[in-house]
Amino acid sequence: MINLRSNSLVSVRNFFQHYPETIAAIVCAILVLMGWVCLQLGWVGLAFLVLPIAYVIGGYESAKDGLTTLLKEKQFDVDLLMIFAALGAAFLGVWQTDYFLIIDGGILILIFAISGALESIAMEQTERNIHQLMGLTPDTATVIAHQQQQKIPINQLKIGDIIVVKPGERIPTDAMIISGHSSLNQAPITGESIPVDKTIGDEVFAGTLNGNGVLQLKVHQPPESSLIQRVIQLVEKAQTDSPPSQQWMEKFERSYAKVIIIVGLALGTLPPLFLGWDWETTIYRALIFLVVASPCALMASIMPALLSGIATGARHGILFKNGAQLEKIGRIKAIAFDKTGTLTTGKLTVVDIIPIQGILETELLQLAVAVESVSEHPIGQAIAKFAIQKNIPRITAINVATQIGEGIIGQVDEQQIFIGKLEWIQQHQIEVNSELIEISDHLETDGKTVVWVAKNQQTLGLIAVADTVRSEAKTLIKHLKKLGIEQVVMLTGDHQRTADSVAKQLNIDLVYANLLPEDKLTIVQQLKTRYQGVAMVGDGINDAPALALADVGIAMGGAGNDIALETADIVLMTDQLGKLLKAIKLGRRANQIIKQNIAFALSFMVLLLISNFFGSINMPIGVIGHEGSTVLVTLSGLRLLKS
C-alpha cells in the first residue's frame, strides 16, 4: 500500500513537472467556470475572488512571453494584445457593473493558455523521441585490451579500439570488421528487408543487430559521429526548426497586435485632444475596439474545424497528432514513400518454386524445409512458414550446419542437402543447370531473393522469396495521381534492382535506392524546395529524420517502429494505405471550411469596427457581436464531424 501511494505521488509530481502549462490551462478553465456560476447565482464577492486568480494562472505565461518580446525585441505580439483585451474587458465589467464581461476576458486568457499547453506537450514529445533513439545502442561495449575482454561505457571508446560483438548483440558504434563474418539486421537504420552479410573490411552501423557470427570490430570514428547519433541530431533539428508558414504566422501576429494596440491607444487619447470628445466616451470606445478587434473569431475559424477533422479522422483509423498537420496534408503536392513495410508488407514470403524436370514442387519444398526449419535466418523462416501454410509433410534433417552469409547443409536419409547462394553451390562442385541460371537471373531482376536447393552433386531447383507489395498500394498510387498529387516518389535502403521492381508494379516513376537516413532527408529537402508541400510516409527508425523534416510525416501504425510513430505527424492506425487518401481529402475539406470561416470572421469584425467608429454599438452589443461571430464560426467548423 505504501509503495502504491509513493508511486502515485511520484507520478503526480512528474506530471506537474513536465506539464505545468497544461495544469495551468485546466485550473484556469475550472476557475472561469466557477466564476460564471457564482455570477449566475448572484455571488459577486466570490466571483471577484475566483476570477482574478484565473486571470493570473491562465495568463501568466502569455503575459511573460508578451512582455519578454516587448522588452527584448521591441515588438508587440498577440499574447500582449490578449492581455490588454482581457484586462480591458475586466475593467469595463467593473466600470459598467456588467460583471459577465470579466468572464469574456477570462475566456480570452483560457484560449491562449490551452495553446501554450499544446505547445509544451509537443516539446515533451520531441524529448521522448530523442531518448528512444538513444536506447537503440547499448550503454557499454566489450573491448579487447591487453589480451583481455572488458566492458566500458560507449562514451569512453576511442578510435583504434577493438570491440567484440557476440551473436544476438547490437553493434555499439560504427566500426569496421577486422575478424569474422555474420548477417546483420540493418532494418532499424537502413530499412533493408533482408539481413545483410558482412565480412572483413565491411562497415557496420551502431544499433544494428548481429546474427550468428562473432565479430571483431575496429573503431574508426568517434561514437558521437556514428550514423545513429546523426539520426538523433537530424530528428532533433528537423522537429525544432520552424517551418516557413509558422514563421510567417508569427510575423503576422506581431504586426496585427502592434496595429491593434497602437490604434486602440490612438482612439483612447487623440479624440479628446483634437476633437473635443469627453474622456469617458473616448476610453469606452477604445476598449470596445480592443474587445471586438481581438482575434478570437479568427482563432475559432481554425481550431474547431481542425479538431473536428481530427475526431473524424480518428473514427476512420487516422490519428492526427495536431491540427496543423490536418491543414497541411490538404495542401501537399508531392508524397515520398518508404518501400519496406510501407508500400510492401515488410515480411518475406515464398513467391516462386522452380524444380528441375522430374522433381515435384512439394518434394523440393519438403527437402528445403527439413534443413531450413532449424535456421534463424529470415529466408529459412519464410520457407518454413510457407510449408506449414501448404501443409507439406515434415521430414527430419540431421547434422545441420550453417555457413553464415553463404548457405546451410543438412542430411536427409543419408543424402547431403545444400541450400544457399549460387556461388556457394558451385564451390561444392555441384552440377548447375544453365537454364536454371537464366531463370535465377530473371527472378533477381524482378527484385526477388533466390536460394538454390541441391542434393549430393545434383541441383534440384530454386526457391525465390520476396517482400511482397501491399494489395492496396497500386490502387492508392493511381488515386493519388487522379487527386492531383504532382509527384509520387519511392525511397528505400534496398538495392536498385529490388526498388525498380516494386516501382514498376506500382507505376511509380521516381525511385531512389541504396539510401541511408541522411540521404532520405536530403531528398525530402529537395522535394520541399521544388513542391512547397511534401508528405513522407514511412515505418522505420531510418525514416524518422525524413518524417520529421517533411511538411507532413505519416507513419504506418501497425508495422511502424516506435520512433517513427512518435516522430510522425499522422499515424495510419490500421496499416491501410487507403486511409492516406481519406486523410488528404479530409485535409482539403478542412482547409475549405477554414477559408470560409476566416472570410466570415474578418467581415464581421470589420462590421463591428465600423459600427463602433460611428458609435452605433455599446459594449454589450460589441461583446455579443464578438462572441456571436466566434460561436458561428465554431459551429461552422463542427461540420467536419459529419464528413
Side-chain angles (χ1 to χ4, degrees):
M1 179 66 72
I2 294 175
N3 287 337
L4 288 175
R5 186 177 299 171
S6 176
N7 291 336
S8 298
L9 290 174
V10 170
S11 299
V12 171
R13 185 166 58 249
N14 289 338
F15 185 81
F16 273 85
Q17 290 175 347
H18 286 92
Y19 303 106
E21 293 185 353
T22 303
I23 298 297
I26 293 172
V27 173
C28 179
I30 294 173
L31 292 175
V32 170
L33 179 61
M34 289 176 60
W36 179 82
V37 171
C38 289
L39 290 178
Q40 289 286 352
L41 298 175
W43 301 343
V44 177
L46 185 56
F48 269 64
L49 178 64
V50 169
L51 290 174
I53 300 175
Y55 273 56
V56 172
I57 293 176
Y60 174 77
E61 287 296 332
S62 293
K64 184 181 71 173
D65 293 342
L67 289 173
T68 300
T69 302
L70 178 63
L71 296 175
K72 289 187 176 181
E73 303 179 25
K74 311 301 180 186
Q75 294 282 345
F76 290 105
D77 61 12
V78 173
D79 289 319
L80 208 56
L81 174 60
M82 182 276 301
I83 295 297
F84 285 156
L87 293 178
F91 174 77
L92 285 173
V94 175
W95 187 12
Q96 300 290 327
T97 64
D98 184 2
Y99 301 131
F100 283 96
L101 292 178
I102 306 175
I103 299 295
D104 292 325
I107 292 173
L108 290 178
I109 286 178
L110 177 60
I111 290 173
F112 275 76
I114 292 172
S115 175
L118 293 175
E119 184 177 349
S120 66
I121 290 173
M123 294 302 296
E124 177 69 18
Q125 173 185 307
T126 299
E127 293 179 6
R128 289 201 309 269
N129 292 346
I130 304 305
H131 287 306
Q132 289 180 11
L133 282 170
M134 291 177 176
L136 286 174
T137 55
D139 296 327
T140 61
T142 303
V143 176
I144 298 178
H146 307 296
Q147 298 183 344
Q148 293 183 342
Q149 295 185 10
Q150 60 179 351
K151 288 186 178 294
I152 65 171
I154 297 296
N155 56 14
Q156 293 183 13
L157 288 174
K158 303 183 298 295
I159 295 177
D161 283 348
I162 307 300
I163 303 171
V164 176
V165 180
K166 299 177 182 178
E169 293 183 344
R170 288 194 179 274
I171 305 299
T173 187
D174 290 5
M176 304 293 294
I177 298 177
I178 59 173
S179 175
H181 57 273
S182 183
S183 294
L184 270 67
N185 181 357
Q186 297 189 151
I189 305 301
T190 66
E192 292 170 282
S193 55
I194 297 177
V196 178
D197 297 330
K198 297 282 187 175
T199 187
I200 296 174
D202 291 336
E203 183 178 18
V204 294
F205 302 120
T208 57
L209 187 63
N210 186 23
N212 296 322
V214 177
L215 299 176
Q216 287 190 11
L217 314 175
K218 184 174 183 179
V219 179
H220 66 290
Q221 63 180 5
E224 60 269 19
S225 300
S226 67
L227 181 60
I228 189 63
Q229 290 298 325
R230 296 202 301 272
V231 170
I232 292 172
Q233 295 166 9
L234 292 170
V235 171
E236 191 171 29
K237 183 177 185 300
Q239 285 196 330
T240 55
D241 283 351
S242 297
S245 59
Q246 182 178 336
Q247 296 172 10
W248 180 88
M249 181 58 71
E250 290 173 355
K251 292 180 181 178
F252 170 78
E253 287 178 351
R254 292 182 180 182
S255 300
Y256 179 83
K258 185 188 299 183
V259 170
I260 296 303
I261 291 174
I262 292 174
V263 172
L265 290 174
L267 290 176
T269 56
L270 297 182
L273 298 176
F274 296 101
L275 301 177
W277 291 15
D278 65 275
W279 283 99
E280 183 177 343
T281 301
T282 302
I283 294 175
Y284 184 66
R285 289 294 162 199
L287 289 174
I288 293 176
F289 171 80
L290 283 180
V291 171
V292 300
S294 65
C296 287
L298 285 175
M299 292 177 61
S301 300
I302 299 173
M303 288 310 298
L306 296 181
L307 292 174
S308 300
I310 291 172
T312 300
R315 292 204 309 268
H316 293 280
I318 306 166
L319 175 60
F320 294 93
K321 292 190 177 180
N322 58 64
Q325 304 310 325
L326 173 61
E327 187 178 4
K328 286 181 180 180
I329 197 171
R331 299 174 181 167
I332 60 170
K333 298 179 181 178
I335 301 180
F337 287 93
D338 170 55
K339 180 186 75 69
T340 306
T342 304
L343 292 173
T344 66
T345 62
K347 300 176 181 178
L348 293 177
T349 186
V350 174
V351 291
D352 291 290
I353 302 175
I354 314 293
I356 63 171
Q357 189 172 2
I359 300 293
L360 298 176
E361 285 188 10
T362 53
E363 182 182 354
L364 179 66
L365 191 58
Q366 191 176 44
L367 290 172
V369 172
V371 178
E372 291 282 17
S373 60
V374 299
S375 172
E376 296 181 357
H377 195 282
I379 293 178
Q381 293 176 349
I383 293 173
K385 183 178 180 180
F386 182 80
I388 293 174
Q389 293 172 346
K390 296 297 183 180
N391 295 318
I392 301 297
R394 291 287 298 273
I395 56 177
T396 303
I398 60 174
N399 299 328
V400 177
T402 300
Q403 296 191 16
I404 298 173
E406 301 292 346
I408 188 169
I409 304 174
Q411 288 184 350
V412 176
D413 296 332
E414 299 183 354
Q415 304 291 315
Q416 200 83 344
I417 306 299
F418 300 84
I419 304 173
K421 296 179 178 179
L422 172 61
E423 295 80 5
W424 180 73
I425 293 290
Q426 291 175 326
Q427 289 174 8
H428 288 80
Q429 283 77 48
I430 297 174
E431 181 183 349
V432 176
N433 188 312
S434 60
E435 183 179 348
L436 279 183
I437 294 179
E438 293 182 8
I439 295 174
S440 176
D441 291 341
H442 178 72
L443 292 173
E444 290 180 346
T445 301
D446 288 339
K448 302 171 184 177
T449 300
V450 178
V451 293
W452 290 67
V453 181
K455 182 172 67 174
N456 294 333
Q457 302 303 309
Q458 180 188 12
T459 302
L460 300 182
L462 312 173
I463 297 177
V465 298
D467 179 11
T468 55
V469 171
R470 289 182 182 271
S471 58
E472 71 272 26
K474 187 172 183 178
T475 302
L476 170 69
I477 302 302
K478 178 181 178 181
H479 284 303
L480 287 175
K481 293 180 178 180
K482 284 186 177 180
L483 203 59
I485 301 299
E486 297 178 21
Q487 185 64 269
V488 178
V489 184
M490 188 175 76
L491 312 178
T492 180
D494 266 347
H495 300 296
Q496 188 71 51
R497 185 164 55 185
T498 303
D500 289 340
S501 173
V502 173
K504 183 179 180 181
Q505 295 178 57
L506 299 177
N507 294 323
I508 296 177
D509 300 323
L510 192 56
V511 181
Y512 296 91
N514 298 308
L515 300 178
L516 293 175
E518 54 196 7
D519 299 324
K520 292 185 178 182
L521 192 73
T522 301
I523 294 169
V524 169
Q525 182 60 65
Q526 293 172 352
L527 291 172
K528 287 183 66 174
T529 302
R530 181 175 179 182
Y531 292 101
Q532 306 299 317
V534 176
M536 171 69 192
V537 188
D539 72 312
I541 295 169
N542 59 299
D543 302 318
L547 288 171
L549 179 65
D551 296 296
V552 183
I554 304 168
M556 306 294 286
N561 179 273
D562 288 345
I563 303 301
L565 297 180
E566 286 289 338
T567 305
D569 305 300
I570 301 172
V571 177
L572 306 181
M573 299 303 295
T574 57
D575 267 3
Q576 295 180 15
L577 281 174
K579 301 294 185 183
L580 175 59
L581 202 64
K582 291 184 178 181
I584 295 173
K585 291 181 178 179
L586 189 60
R588 291 185 177 182
R589 176 62 174 156
N591 288 337
Q592 183 182 27
I593 290 177
I594 288 171
K595 289 178 181 178
Q596 294 170 357
N597 288 349
I598 290 175
F600 173 79
L602 285 174
S603 300
F604 209 83
M605 183 185 295
V606 170
L607 177 63
L608 290 174
L609 291 173
I610 293 174
S611 299
N612 182 51
F613 179 78
F614 288 105
S616 303
I617 59 173
N618 55 22
M619 176 55 67
I621 296 299
V623 172
I624 291 173
H626 174 262
E627 300 296 336
S629 62
T630 303
V631 170
L632 287 175
V633 296
T634 300
L635 293 175
S636 174
L638 296 179
R639 288 182 290 163
L640 269 178
L641 290 173
K642 297 182 179 180
S643 293

